[in-house]
Amino acid sequence: NQGRLRMSARVKIATLLGTNLFVGFSDTGQNELPVYDTGGGILTPAADYAGFIYNAAVGSPSTVWRGAAGKAGTDQTVTLAPAQTPTVNVWDRLEIDMNESGNLIRFGVNGKLVGVIASAGLTPTVALSAGVWAANTEAAANPVDIDWLAASAARDTGT
């Protein structure tokens, strides 16, 4: 409820096929993958979230980063333009910037604005945790490296 919630993380995927990854904010309290897609559409254990989703399940319709947000079970995605496809063992810097009301969410990849959800409607009073969540949807473990993660919000200066 501080306003201007921001996050940035630098991630690298070792094996693309079979990796489900969410980088962003979630209300799940860090105990489960907040948002994922195994090829049949987005599944959301989280009620409120905003971030990047990547899925490369066998037969998946999407192997690019997508912007996603949800409020109370209503999910939205945005196709990033230009498309942002991870490369094996290459770092991507993913950035999320949310305005004070939780409506406007901007998505940046490697320093460039690539997507916007203009009416996300996240409730500003819902506590969100920043994180990187990964799940393996195929047979072998797929490592994901995290170089750094930074999250911030507006500060009350007391004046």
Side-chain angles (χ1 to χ4, degrees):
N1 201 21
Q2 295 171 261
R4 187 113 196 248
L5 196 55
R6 301 182 73 181
M7 180 194 160
S8 183
R10 190 168 177 244
V11 298
K12 176 174 67 169
I13 304 171
T15 303
L16 298 178
L17 187 61
T19 296
N20 250 298
L21 190 61
F22 179 75
V23 179
F25 293 103
S26 170
D27 67 352
T28 61
Q30 308 281 12
N31 60 354
E32 64 186 344
L33 186 67
V35 183
Y36 60 98
D37 185 343
T38 58
I42 289 180
L43 302 169
T44 55
D48 291 86
Y49 67 90
F52 289 89
I53 184 170
Y54 173 79
N55 68 293
V58 173
S60 171
S62 176
T63 55
V64 297
W65 289 111
R66 291 178 285 164
K71 174 190 176 182
T74 301
D75 305 315
Q76 297 181 59
T77 61
V78 62
T79 301
L80 306 179
Q84 302 294 309
T85 305
T87 302
V88 171
N89 287 320
V90 174
W91 293 105
D92 277 322
R93 189 175 82 236
L94 307 174
E95 302 170 78
I96 302 153
D97 185 358
M98 192 180 321
N99 73 351
E100 291 80 4
S101 67
N103 280 332
L104 181 66
I105 301 171
R106 293 178 186 91
F107 298 91
V109 177
N110 298 321
K112 296 186 186 219
L113 178 66
V114 293
V116 173
I117 295 179
S119 57
L122 271 68
T123 306
T125 55
V126 172
L128 299 174
S129 299
V132 176
W133 293 264
N136 177 32
T137 58
E138 308 300 332
N142 297 337
V144 175
D145 290 326
I146 305 163
D147 188 34
W148 49 262
L149 183 145
S152 66
R155 301 274 181 195
D156 181 357
T157 61
T159 59

